[in-house]
């Protein structure tokens, strides 16, 4: 493996993660240069710049273009790539405002089923209000109470010879003989959360406009940077999928469908909304897939073609659900684009923890079906809260198990913005003490990718995604089948992981492209994976296509393993539920009892009897279900990744690796490659004992020839795979659950509860707003400043002669607002960093310590409308200083002293809004007999710094949070000092996120 020789070296740009860099609110040259150089120093390979609606200067203005040119100049010097990352689905993206306001055909629409009426030839159908531009009426004939899709009519206005319109602009229709169901649809425009029209992705003119107004000018202005520095763009497509009783719509779909399938779209449309015979269910997957893929065809395809001609590359990110709503949505497995795109990823709005199976499906589809590269988006989550270094590292490992990809970390803000974004939370690194650790994280990710990209991965099992079967049962008004299928799918995949079986998540198209070997194994004909799949798991297939079932019969005939989860198919998409097909299913199962089985999710681990995994794990005599395994090969060497997927549990595991003469441990943290010399190896598998802390990962390479790797130093040998991890400890001492706690960063008290009065301003004659709040002070702190966020628009001006604000405390006006001091002067006249977190850098504040009184204090803000209405208080001002807080009789109060803390979040001990660093101290004793002492931290909120008896033992950044402290301890009492970081959530989101030492601390004795 070539990468092992240079694992500790600086990795090439293509292996490094990228940062989504959000330009919002005020932008200036100095801050731009500073942040871009920080990103480069942090080890990123590039930046994807996301302009915002609220950005100043405005997007594509002369000032913006000038600043973008500066970014390209600096990026070229620092070997950074640059992309434009317009999130076209988000309310803060205004690139389509002009065209959607002017051209109705550029606006996204959906077809909503208003109601269904049943009429007969004896009746006359009347519709009081009808407009062909906004209404669609279809009539489908009933045959023995079932829909007859061969008898579907569009009920039209006076342009039709049969129906007649009423004089009031309504619609009248006399049904032909028989019973009919009439479907009344409404075509309505789709708006985002800000009330703006969303773009019509079916209309290629929208893509043409985006290219003409945004991409072409940038290409022309900066052609000398293309493609070496200015690489292209990131497109988060604003999908408006089927949901909420509606489907996306464009009148041009009828012509396109007729051209592609030689059938009428409107004739099949009732099948999407009404109950139909199982034999007609085959129409639903085709229709739904056509509608969704048509959006990619109309928007992403023109961008891809233009990019290739322009030497640009598109990173296309597909969504997992609708932006605005998801009730009765179609499911994430149906939105993967089928076009010939270079790199495709998943928007991952819900976060990797929630979307791990969806993320994996997109990655597996890219490799096995579409032969294209993958983009992995990290750092998003359901709560829209900032991620920590540990959680980001866990995401990197999760995506690494799916295979090679370009990692795109989200949430680096140009300015600090308190708003709760739908897709992108701020990234906690940017404004927290964790930023200094990011270089270690990007190096870790780069080294992992350098190894993974060389591997030809192998998988034990293929899992058939339930897309076709589910879509055949899906209706925009009823997604019960989607929910059942998703639950079965998730549970089945989790069960395989717990059995240490590696797997691919594949589509029907991939399955049908596989060839079956004589031994019952199967794989793609181009051998995209090393080896073959040895079993097929089908989590949900109530209805199945004939083609897939024929493949199952062929696989079973060669004694291949087929497992249906819970139930076998009940019918085919081609013929419905008929006796002939039922007989074939029963014969398949009864004649191949040894290889074709029906299993519950709990029984899936039994597959191990037929499919032996490459690595077996044993924990106290049982399989360890929380240890996941993946593997691949390169030039005669095999590589294995192992990780503990649990966020809380620790395991001591005996892992059996295949028999190799040489086994190397890869440490992606340090870049060292160390050969293991004391493993149990003989005729059979090689046994390695490993301690898995929460979220901990290992990587091994096995080879029968010695690999060309740099000689490891004694320090690297010790730390690459510490000896104490490979033998169980003798016993564990739990340190006292009592600590002396001291905040290193300043605490915060948000002023979130205000009363407001509206009055007339005597000076200006206009209205003014008078805002008032109270807080309690039990002891005057040594340092306290009142802080305002600097960026709530024009409302942020509280200084100068034309100020919109007048602020007072206890009746005394506050003067001297200025940027928060990030440095301070010592009594000796020396400048040093202030005791504050970086999130205060973009604020203005005033010193109010001398204005505080014991008891209740009153802060008043008078807002005056010098031009227009008075500005509003958008975000809670903060009291920042050296004080704990506690609950008083009327809300939070500044307390008198810091309480003693336990092994618990500092949120519970007077610091719920502290974002930064806290320090814990205690004294402990050591046992009289030992060979080795290891200090272990079960759970912490972020990176920690450890010192014993005044000696700094260094930083721990993520799990395993353990240190060999044998040499640092003395026979007498030992003083332990631990400094812990947290994210910036606590003060920005005011969410009291658990921080500090959030679990027990142990002294492990060996």
């Amino acid at each position: 493996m070539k990468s092992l020789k240079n694992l500790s070296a600086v990795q090439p740009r293509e292996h490094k993660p990228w940062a989504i860099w959000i330009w919002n609110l005020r932008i200036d040259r100095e801050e731009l240069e500073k942040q871009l150089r920080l990103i480069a120093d942090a080890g990123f390979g590039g930046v994807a710049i996301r302009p915002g609606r609220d950005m100043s200067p405005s997007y594509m203005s002369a000032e913006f273009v000038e600043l973008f040119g500066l970014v390209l100049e600096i990026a070229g010097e620092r070997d950074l790539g640059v992309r434009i990352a317009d999130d076209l689905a988000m309310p803060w993206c205004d690139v389509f405002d002009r065209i959607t306001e002017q051209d109705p055909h550029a606006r996204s629409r959906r077809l909503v089923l208003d109601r269904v009426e049943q009429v007969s030839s004896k009746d006359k159908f009347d519709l009081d209000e009808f407009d062909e531009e906004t209404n669609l009426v279809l009539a489908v004939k009933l045959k023995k109470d079932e829909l007859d899709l061969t008898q579907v009519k569009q009920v039209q206005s006076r342009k039709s010879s049969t129906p007649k319109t009423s004089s009031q602009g309504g619609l009248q229709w006399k049904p032909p003989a028989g019973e009919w169901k009439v479907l009344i649809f409404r075509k309505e425009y789709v708006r985002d959360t800000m009330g703006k029209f969303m773009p019509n992705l079916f209309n290629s003119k929208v893509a043409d406009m985006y290219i003409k107004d945004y991409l072409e000018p940038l290409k022309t202005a900066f052609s000398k940077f293309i493609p070496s520095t200015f690489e292209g763009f990131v497109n988060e497509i604003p999908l408006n999928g089927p949901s909420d009783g509606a489907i996306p719509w464009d009148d041009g779909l009828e012509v396109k469908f007729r051209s592609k399938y030689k059938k009428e779209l409107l004739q099949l449309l009732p099948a999407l909304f009404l109950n139909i015979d199982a034999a007609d269910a085959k129409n639903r997957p085709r229709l739904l897939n056509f509608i969704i893929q048509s959006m990619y065809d109309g928007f992403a395809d023109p961008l891809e073609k233009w990019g290739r001609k322009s030497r640009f590359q598109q990173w296309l990110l597909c969504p997992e659900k609708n932006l605005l709503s998801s009730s009765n949505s179609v499911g994430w497995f149906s939105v993967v684009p089928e076009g010939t795109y270079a790199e495709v990823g998943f928007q991952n709005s819900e976060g990797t923890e929630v979307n791990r199976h969806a993320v994996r499906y997109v990655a597996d589809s890219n490799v096995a079906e579409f032969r294209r590269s993958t983009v992995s988006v990290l750092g998003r989550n359901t709560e829209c809260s900032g991620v920590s270094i540990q959680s980001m590292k866990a995401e990197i490992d999760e995506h690494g198990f799916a295979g090679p990809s370009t990692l795109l970390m989200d949430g680096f803000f140009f300015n600090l913005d308190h708003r709760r974004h739908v897709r992108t939370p701020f990234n906690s690194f940017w404004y927290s003490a964790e930023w200094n650790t990011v270089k270690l994280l990007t190096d870790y990710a780069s080294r992992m990718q350098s190894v993974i990209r060389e591997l030809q991965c192998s998988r034990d099992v293929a899992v058939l995604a339930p897309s076709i079967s589910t879509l055949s049962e899906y209706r925009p008004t009823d997604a019960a089948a989607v929910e059942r299928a998703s639950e079965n799918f998730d549970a089945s995949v989790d069960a395989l992981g717990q059995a240490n079986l590696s797997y691919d998540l594949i589509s029907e198209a991939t399955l049908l492209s596989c060839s079956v070997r004589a031994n019952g194994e199967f794989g793609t004909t181009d051998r995209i994976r090393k080896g073959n799949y040895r079993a097929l798991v089908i989590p949900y297939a109530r209805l199945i296509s004939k083609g897939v079932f024929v493949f199952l019969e062929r696989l079973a005939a060669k004694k291949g393993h087929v497992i249906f989860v819970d139930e076998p198919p009940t019918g085919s998409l081609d013929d419905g539920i008929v006796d002939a097909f039922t007989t074939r299913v029963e014969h398949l199962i009864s004649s191949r009892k040894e290889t074709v089985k029906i299993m519950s999710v709990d029984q899936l681990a039994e597959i191990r009897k037929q499919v032996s995994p490459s690595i077996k794990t044993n924990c106290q005599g049982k399989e360890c279900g929380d240890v996941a395994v993946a593997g691949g090969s390169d030039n005669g060497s095999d590589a294995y990744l192992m990780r503990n997927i649990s966020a809380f549990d620790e395991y001591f595991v005996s892992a059996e690796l295949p028999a190799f003469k040489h086994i190397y441990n890869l440490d992606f943290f340090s870049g060292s490659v160390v050969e293991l010399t004391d493993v149990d190896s003989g005729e059979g598998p090689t046994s390695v004992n490993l301690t898995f802390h929460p979220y901990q990962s290992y990587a091994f390479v096995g080879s029968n020839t010695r690999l060309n790797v740099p000689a490891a130093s004694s320090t690297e040998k010790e730390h690459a795979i510490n000896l104490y991890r490979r033998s169980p400890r003798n016993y564990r001492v739990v340190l006292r659950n009592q600590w002396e706690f001291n905040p290193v960063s300043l605490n915060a008290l948000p002023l979130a509860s205000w009363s407001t009065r509206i009055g007339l301003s005597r000076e200006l004659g206009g209205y003014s707003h008078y805002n008032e709040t109270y807080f309690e002070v039990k002891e005057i702190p040594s340092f306290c400043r009142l802080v305002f966020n600097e960026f709530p628009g024009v409302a942020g001006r509280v200084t100068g002669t034309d100020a919109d604000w007048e602020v007072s405390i206890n009746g005394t006006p506050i003067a001297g607002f200025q940027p928060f001091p990030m440095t301070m002067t010592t009594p000796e006249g020396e400048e040093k960093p202030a005791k504050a977190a970086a999130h205060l850098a973009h604020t203005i504040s005033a010193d109010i310590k001398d204005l505080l009184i014991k008891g209740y204090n009153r802060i008043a803000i008078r807002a005056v409308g010098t031009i227009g209405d008075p500005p509003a208080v958008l975000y809670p001002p903060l009291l920042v200083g050296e004080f704990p807080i506690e609950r008083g009789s009327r809300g939070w109060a500044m307390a008198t002293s810091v309480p003693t803390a336990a092994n618990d979040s500092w949120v519970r001990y007077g610091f719920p809004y502290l974002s930064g660093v806290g320090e814990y101290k205690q004294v402990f004793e050591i046992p009289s007999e030992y060979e080795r002492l290891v200090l272990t931290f079960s759970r912490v909120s972020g990176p920690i710094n450890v010192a014993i008896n005044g000696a700094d033992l260094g930083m721990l950044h993520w799990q395993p949070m353990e240190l060999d402290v044998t040499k640092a301890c003395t026979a007498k009492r030992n003083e332990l000092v631990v400094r812990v970081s947290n994210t910036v959530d606590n003060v920005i989101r005011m969410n009291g996120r658990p921080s500090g030492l959030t679990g027990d601390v142990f002294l492990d004795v060996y």
Side-chain angles (χ1 to χ4, degrees), residues 600-776:
S600 66
V601 170
D602 295 337
Q603 295 173 321
L604 286 179
E606 296 179 12
I607 301 175
R608 289 170 55 93
K609 297 176 182 178
Q610 293 81 30
V611 180
S612 179
S614 302
I615 295 181
K616 298 179 180 179
T617 61
N618 186 289
C619 179
Q620 297 180 343
K622 298 180 180 179
E623 292 294 333
C624 187
D626 281 342
V627 174
V629 179
S633 301
D634 177 65
N635 292 329
S637 300
D638 285 359
Y640 301 96
L641 302 178
M642 306 175 65
R643 61 184 292 258
N644 181 8
I645 63 175
S646 172
F648 304 105
D649 297 323
E650 175 187 332
Y651 301 100
F652 183 76
V653 173
S654 176
E656 288 187 359
L657 281 67
F660 289 105
K661 292 181 179 179
H662 306 279
I663 293 182
Y664 301 85
N665 169 246
L666 314 184
D667 188 346
F668 298 134
F669 175 74
S670 66
S672 64
V673 182
V674 178
E675 183 173 1
L676 306 185
T677 58
D678 58 345
V679 295
D680 298 328
S681 182
E683 296 294 331
T686 301
S687 179
V688 181
N689 294 325
L690 303 168
T691 298
F692 279 92
H693 292 269
Y695 281 152
Q696 184 175 359
S697 298
Y698 290 98
F700 297 102
V701 169
S703 176
N704 287 321
T705 60
R706 190 175 298 277
L707 300 181
N708 183 17
V709 297
S713 66
S714 59
T715 302
E716 288 176 327
K717 288 181 180 179
E718 181 178 356
H719 292 289
I721 179 166
N722 293 320
L723 296 177
Y724 58 80
R725 295 183 195 165
R726 292 168 40 209
S727 60
R729 58 184 173 266
N730 293 333
Y731 58 92
R732 166 171 280 180
V733 177
V734 183
L735 297 193
R736 286 184 301 113
N737 191 16
Q738 197 170 28
W739 300 79
E740 177 188 338
F741 177 77
N742 292 294
V744 175
S745 301
L746 296 175
N747 197 16
L749 173 56
L751 301 173
S753 178
W754 293 80
S755 60
T756 302
R757 300 195 303 274
I758 300 175
L760 286 173
S761 170
R762 295 178 181 177
E763 299 88 347
L764 301 176
Y767 282 101
S768 64
H769 292 173
Y770 189 80
N771 307 278
E772 187 177 68
T773 190
Y774 290 84
F775 63 95
E776 185 179 0

Side-chain angles (χ1 to χ4, degrees), residues 89-152:
M90 289 291 102
W92 57 76
C93 178
D94 61 349
V95 299
F96 296 115
D97 283 1
R98 178 179 59 82
I99 188 173
T100 55
E101 289 293 338
Q102 296 176 356
D103 184 1
H105 297 291
R107 302 170 188 169
S108 177
R109 291 204 294 181
R110 64 178 193 160
L111 195 62
V112 184
L113 180 62
D114 271 343
R115 67 183 188 276
V116 178
E117 296 184 11
Q118 185 163 333
V119 297
S120 68
S121 56
K122 300 177 182 178
D123 304 317
K124 183 172 66 175
F125 173 75
D126 286 304
L127 190 62
D128 293 336
E129 296 182 3
F130 178 80
D131 182 352
E132 286 187 340
E133 289 298 317
T134 58
N135 294 110
L136 173 66
V137 180
L138 298 177
V140 55
K141 192 173 184 179
L142 297 180
K143 185 177 182 180
K144 296 181 180 180
D145 295 328
E146 297 287 344
L147 299 183
D148 184 358
L149 295 181
T150 65
Q151 296 290 320
V152 178

Side-chain angles (χ1 to χ4, degrees), residues 333 469-471 473-474 478-486 540 542:
F333 38 72
S469 181
T470 301
L471 294 182
E473 300 178 78
Y474 169 80
D478 183 5
V482 174
E483 294 170 2
R484 289 195 305 271
S486 296
Y540 185 90
R542 198 179 74 88

Side-chain angles (χ1 to χ4, degrees), residues 822-826 828-833:
M822 302 309 291
T823 61
M824 58 182 294
T825 305
T826 65
E828 295 78 20
E830 180 183 351
E831 286 286 322
K832 70 175 187 178

Side-chain angles (χ1 to χ4, degrees), residues 458-473:
S458 58
R459 309 291 196 221
D460 300 323
V461 178
V463 183
L464 184 63
S467 53
I468 300 298
S469 181
T470 301
L471 294 182
S472 68
E473 300 178 78

